[in-house]
Amino acid sequence: MGHRPRRVAMLSVHTSPLHQPGTGDAGGMNVYIVELSRQLAALGTEVEIFTRATAGGLPPTVELAPGVLVRHVDAGPYEGLSKEELPAQMCAFTHGVTQIWAGQRPGYFDLVHSHYWLSGQVGWLVAERWGVPLVHAMHTMAKVKNAALAAGDSPEPAARVIGETQIVRAADRLIANTAEEAAELVRHYDADPMRTAVVHPGVNLDVFRPADGRSAARARLGLPQDALIPLFVGRIQPLKAPDLLLYAVRELLDRDPSLADPGRLVVPVVGGPSGTGLARPERLRRLADRLGLTGLVRFHPPVGQERLADWYRAASALVMPSYSESFGLVAAEAQACGTPVVAAAVGGLPVVVRDEATGYLIEGHDPVHYADALARFAADSGLSDRLGRAAALHARRFGWAATAAGTVSVYRAATESHRFALRSAHG
Ligand code: UDP
């Protein structure tokens, strides 16, 4: 086995680990990079995270935690560039990374770990230039996303598919969130199974825990004690299908109009706009009005983890009707807080949620099936607590320490095979 690297260059071009997740381009990947880097530092591997500067006057470096440094790289104008326009800035970003590195002694970084295909493009070049292994995590894949688009959502461009294919070939190791994702990498991108490892993401189990329970959380958030509360948490984008939850709630009300009585039903939507289609939350707000759900559906901007934990605890169930989800961190976080999850049986969600034990997995995207699941919670006031207890136990499998330990194993294997490849190349 190769060595554990002393210092890793983590590449997160299009979104900063310092941004609030839950809106725009900041989501699970940001949380993943922050939590993984912290745990790696605790294991003795320092991390420097390179991200594009998206505002003027940012300090060149910010210490995120002991042993974890964020480096802001100038590449293109600070504001006004969408993620879709970033491919044109990859040369500038790579230049910025190599300039920073030029000031360091040789061998400063032992390994490059890139996240999402844009960073992979940069990682491909810098890893080769530095003579170190490249480990890459896709987070999402264009081919998988395009195969499960929501109505009206725009497909990912062919250029992304080509870029992803190049990185799959170039990386010494690929990290997939689940066995399903690893199989997709092999099936759709011809990845080498021997170089594709599965490491589950995690949950911050110190923050996301049942604590003092559902009714205390409801009291803190000013929510009615006996209401049915199906919760949506995440970026408001077509892929995550918050509209489907609204249609399901309409269906539920048609079956039992008394649920519209004061204090019987609240539907919180926690998160901000992102992407296309439902990009502006007004569209979702208008849909709520059109479906007669005004006042029942309540929109809340993204919140920090401590507050978010209370939203999870307060809910009867978290509802995640996504069309595609490489893991679905919010489903794991909600369960860790003792709240069951009603989720689409897509991507990583069948790993995160145990059907009938910690929540319900729904095949397809018919609001009627989601209404059926919500009706069970409406009919049985003890169901959330019963499934929630199993959910909290199940979620304990997903600590970030385990993610970091698994990642270090991948680093070691990448280091070993990279050395071997170099030795073979030089006879
Ligand atoms: N999140 C947050 N505050 C919010 C909403 C979401 O911190 O108000 C975080 C949430 O804790 C989770 C991440 O955003 O860790 C979303 O990750 P997920 O894998 O569910 O979805 P993604 O955004 O990656 O598609």
Side-chain angles (χ1 to χ4, degrees):
M1 264 302 201
H3 298 300
R4 177 175 53 73
R6 282 157 306 164
R7 193 177 293 106
V8 168
M10 198 78 84
L11 304 181
S12 178
V13 173
H14 78 281
T15 179
S16 167
L18 301 172
H19 290 164
Q20 168 65 55
T23 189
D25 289 328
M29 192 181 106
N30 305 61
V31 174
Y32 186 104
I33 291 173
V34 169
E35 300 284 359
L36 173 65
S37 302
R38 275 200 193 123
Q39 295 287 339
L40 286 173
L43 291 175
T45 294
E46 283 181 31
V47 179
E48 296 195 5
I49 307 168
F50 293 79
T51 193
R52 198 177 81 86
T54 51
L58 290 175
T61 59
V62 176
E63 192 188 37
L64 187 86
V68 183
L69 198 70
V70 176
R71 289 188 182 273
H72 290 122
V73 178
D74 279 331
Y78 297 130
E79 276 148 37
L81 271 190
S82 72
K83 188 169 76 175
E84 289 65 36
E85 292 168 300
L86 286 184
Q89 294 304 322
M90 288 309 96
C91 188
F93 191 92
T94 308
H95 178 259
V97 174
T98 50
Q99 284 296 103
I100 291 168
W101 173 76
Q104 310 293 352
R105 62 178 167 72
Y108 185 73
F109 291 113
D110 305 299
L111 184 140
V112 176
H113 187 169
S114 52
H115 299 266
Y116 192 69
W117 79 279
L118 292 171
S119 301
Q121 291 282 317
V122 178
W124 182 12
L125 203 67
V126 295
E128 193 169 297
R129 171 123 194 242
W130 298 345
V132 299
L134 172 66
V135 173
H136 181 74
M138 287 286 202
H139 292 276
T140 63
M141 287 177 266
K143 284 192 184 176
V144 175
K145 250 178 131 170
N146 286 349
L149 281 184
D153 203 357
S154 19
E156 293 296 318
R160 175 174 170 189
V161 174
I162 295 166
E164 289 177 339
T165 309
Q166 291 163 332
I167 298 151
V168 165
R169 242 180 263 139
D172 293 277
R173 285 289 183 284
L174 296 165
I175 293 185
N177 284 335
T178 60
E180 168 68 12
E181 192 187 328
E184 284 166 346
L185 274 162
V186 173
R187 195 164 58 240
H188 297 307
Y189 291 89
D190 205 20
D192 175 0
M194 300 298 285
R195 290 190 291 131
T196 307
V198 176
V199 181
H200 291 321
V203 174
N204 186 336
L205 296 167
D206 295 330
V207 175
F208 298 110
R209 58 197 169 83
D212 49 2
R214 190 159 285 105
S215 71
R218 287 188 177 195
R220 281 192 290 275
L221 291 168
L223 292 165
Q225 284 297 327
D226 299 320
L228 173 69
I229 304 185
L231 168 71
F232 177 90
V233 173
R235 293 184 274 168
I236 299 178
Q237 52 180 214
L239 189 83
K240 301 222 173 251
D243 51 331
L244 204 149
L245 170 60
L246 268 49
Y247 287 114
V249 168
R250 180 65 262 165
E251 166 75 21
L252 195 66
L253 283 168
D254 289 343
R255 293 182 197 176
D256 179 3
S258 76
L259 277 171
D261 292 347
R264 290 211 57 206
L265 176 67
V266 178
V267 187
V269 174
V270 180
S274 167
T276 53
L278 293 167
R280 285 151 292 144
E282 308 91 79
R283 294 246 322 241
L284 200 62
R285 217 181 277 268
R286 276 206 301 277
L287 179 66
D289 293 344
R290 193 154 58 73
L291 293 174
L293 306 177
T294 315
L296 292 177
V297 181
R298 299 182 189 167
F299 294 89
H300 302 275
V303 290
Q305 292 195 333
E306 297 283 345
R307 188 75 170 166
L308 187 57
D310 256 350
W311 279 109
Y312 291 136
R313 288 176 198 125
S316 310
L318 175 91
V319 185
M320 200 166 194
S322 309
Y323 285 93
S324 151
E325 202 66 68
S326 74
F327 192 71
L329 285 183
V330 299
E333 291 163 359
Q335 291 180 99
C337 289
T339 292
V341 176
V342 176
V346 300
L349 288 169
V351 174
V352 185
V353 180
R354 286 182 52 219
D355 192 27
E356 303 276 342
T358 71
Y360 300 108
L361 287 169
I362 313 266
E363 297 290 343
H365 291 86
D366 187 340
V368 169
H369 298 148
Y370 284 84
D372 290 343
L374 294 182
R376 293 202 197 189
F377 290 95
D380 178 355
S381 60
L383 186 61
S384 292
D385 284 345
R386 288 201 308 280
L387 295 178
R389 270 193 293 278
L393 280 177
H394 175 59
R396 298 203 71 78
R397 302 173 46 197
F398 300 119
W400 287 109
T403 309
T407 303
V408 166
S409 300
V410 178
Y411 288 170
R412 284 180 192 274
T415 305
E416 180 67 16
S417 58
H418 186 258
R419 280 226 182 92
F420 183 74
L422 282 185
R423 271 204 300 272
S424 312
H426 296 119

